[in-house]
Amino acid sequence: QTGISHVVSEGGESVPATTLDRYLDEAQIDRVDVLKIDVEGYELHVLRGARKSLEAQKIQAIYFEYMQKLAARFHPPSDLLNYLDGLGYQTCVCRNYDIGLRGSPTHTIRDGMPGAGLRLIPLIGFEPLLGTDLLAVPRENLAALAPT
């Protein structure tokens, strides 16, 4: 979690790149159960390239590292969470340690969906920790847990 991997303005090496939307279309992939992103603060850039797939909810879950100091190099960190929210995804705390800091899990992924039963706390009314892993899922795929 150092952020050492980064794009340089001079030198470096050119590599081919594409968007997730283009890749999924060309590979004729209609559904992604879990998309794992670890791109050192470029998460919003990656997800902007998946807008069509996110709008169609082809992607059932997005697991990503949320590091405010890395995201802040390119945009306000809240932009990433707001982008997902605007596309109908609820971002949740998913690591047991982080859930323990917030209390008890309140939601899960509904039956029949990838990750069903996973215990989560939606980011509603509080900010995520400065550095953690988060899971974003389409809102309709979440189910409230019965109070214990």
Side-chain angles (χ1 to χ4, degrees):
Q1 296 184 347
T2 62
I4 291 173
S5 302
H6 60 279
V7 175
V8 295
S9 58
E10 294 181 25
E13 185 174 330
S14 294
V15 295
T18 189
T19 65
L20 281 169
D21 280 338
R22 185 176 298 129
Y23 176 80
L24 294 174
D25 285 347
E26 289 174 359
Q28 298 179 348
I29 297 171
D30 294 327
R31 177 180 163 140
V32 175
D33 287 341
V34 178
L35 174 65
K36 167 68 167 97
I37 304 173
D38 186 354
V39 290
E40 305 298 329
Y42 286 92
E43 289 78 10
L44 182 55
H45 295 81
V46 168
L47 292 171
R48 283 181 175 148
R51 183 175 191 88
K52 187 175 91 174
S53 299
L54 294 169
E55 287 173 340
Q57 295 189 348
K58 281 179 151 180
I59 302 171
Q60 299 303 304
I62 306 158
Y63 184 85
F64 60 98
E65 184 178 70
Y66 181 82
M67 299 291 292
Q68 285 189 6
K69 70 178 182 176
L70 298 180
R73 296 182 299 176
F74 311 109
H75 54 79
S78 60
D79 285 2
L80 171 60
L81 304 178
N82 292 336
Y83 181 77
L84 289 166
D85 182 64
L87 292 170
Y89 285 74
Q90 177 61 60
T91 304
C92 302
V93 174
C94 59
R95 289 180 13 187
N96 287 336
Y97 175 79
D98 297 336
I99 289 173
L101 294 175
R102 303 277 186 200
S104 298
T106 58
H107 287 73
T108 187
I109 296 175
R110 69 178 173 84
D111 289 342
M113 299 307 303
L118 182 66
R119 300 198 179 290
L120 306 166
I121 298 179
L123 287 178
I124 299 173
F126 65 89
E127 290 292 317
L129 299 171
L130 295 177
T132 189
D133 293 339
L134 298 174
L135 184 74
V137 298
R139 278 188 201 87
E140 64 268 13
N141 293 350
L142 282 181
L145 291 171
T148 56

